[in-house]
Amino acid sequence: MPPTLWGYNTKTPGYEYSPDKARALLAKAGFPNGFETQLWALPVQRPYNPNGQQSAEMIQADLAKVGIKASIVKYEWAEYLKRAKDGESAIGMFGWNGDNGDPDNFLATLLSCAAVGGSNYAQWCDKEYDALVVKAKRTSNQAERAKLYEKAQEVFHREAPWVPMAHSVVYQPMLKTVQGYRMSPFGAVQFFGVSLK
């Protein structure tokens, strides 16, 4: 969820970078020597990830530092999505551009139990998280909704069904003579009220 969106939890800390702790957790989980897995490289360019292959190589190198040997796999985009919806990806890359300015468009659309088999590519269904998101969706008071979404983000952070990598920053170049143009947060290009001086 973008940090500029209302309901974003600014108090949730980032994850600590500690290969030593990661190795200790792997050993505790029964993988003292790591394991082998597949890492799916995003096959398309997106504002939030313009180079899926390079991102996969960077992740692969980080995983190797803690004993996880990840082989990079690539599929054509439609095949990638189909296989991911079927739950085949061990580690995949996905992203999202919201289209309505509501936290629900991120928190429910991408992580609710109802979205498993659809846009919830992690196939993650957490009852505590889901109850918070469903309650927020049914609440009309924005301040109350924001608190519920903030609590849901705390559950997300604790359970870590996926690890957020980046938020896109989008630019729109134009001539200095253009007046009244406003970038849409939803990716649309609109020229209502635009003129040239």
Side-chain angles (χ1 to χ4, degrees):
M1 188 166 122
T4 54
L5 194 60
W6 66 268
Y8 180 83
N9 191 331
T10 59
K11 295 176 185 147
T12 303
Y15 295 108
E16 176 187 4
Y17 176 77
S18 175
D20 291 335
K21 285 185 181 178
R23 281 189 290 275
L25 287 170
L26 282 168
K28 185 177 178 181
F31 299 98
N33 301 315
F35 59 90
E36 293 185 18
T37 189
Q38 290 185 341
L39 168 61
W40 292 16
L42 189 69
V44 293
Q45 286 186 324
R46 294 290 187 255
Y48 48 78
N49 189 345
N51 189 330
Q53 179 66 32
Q54 186 176 41
S55 296
E57 291 167 2
M58 292 166 61
I59 294 167
Q60 181 186 47
D62 284 343
L63 291 173
K65 292 175 187 174
V66 297
I68 300 172
K69 184 179 179 184
S71 58
I72 297 174
V73 176
K74 276 185 109 170
Y75 292 106
E76 180 273 327
W77 187 228
E79 186 71 13
Y80 187 101
L81 293 175
K82 179 190 171 301
R83 288 173 175 258
K85 283 183 182 182
D86 290 340
E88 292 183 29
S89 61
I91 304 173
M93 290 184 209
F94 301 93
W96 191 254
N97 288 324
D99 58 5
N100 66 17
D102 193 285
D104 183 72
N105 190 236
F106 289 87
L107 302 178
T109 302
L110 302 177
L111 292 161
S112 69
C113 295
V116 170
S119 53
N120 182 345
Y121 292 107
Q123 310 291 319
W124 181 67
C125 178
D126 183 274
K127 294 192 185 309
E128 180 185 3
Y129 175 92
D130 212 54
L132 290 164
V133 171
V134 168
K135 186 174 180 182
K137 185 186 294 196
R138 295 176 179 167
T139 302
S140 59
N141 181 290
Q142 185 172 333
E144 289 176 28
R145 290 184 72 212
K147 288 178 187 174
L148 292 164
Y149 287 132
E150 288 173 13
K151 287 180 185 175
Q153 289 166 76
E154 290 170 12
V155 175
F156 168 87
H157 184 268
R158 181 185 72 227
E159 298 298 319
W162 28 274
V163 179
M165 290 180 11
H167 294 287
S168 62
V169 176
V170 181
Y171 297 95
Q172 181 66 55
M174 64 187 65
L175 296 171
K176 291 180 182 181
T177 56
V178 175
Q179 293 182 319
Y181 181 81
R182 302 281 183 262
M183 285 182 61
S184 168
F186 311 125
V189 178
Q190 300 170 347
F191 295 104
F192 180 76
V194 177
S195 63
L196 295 173
K197 68 176 179 178

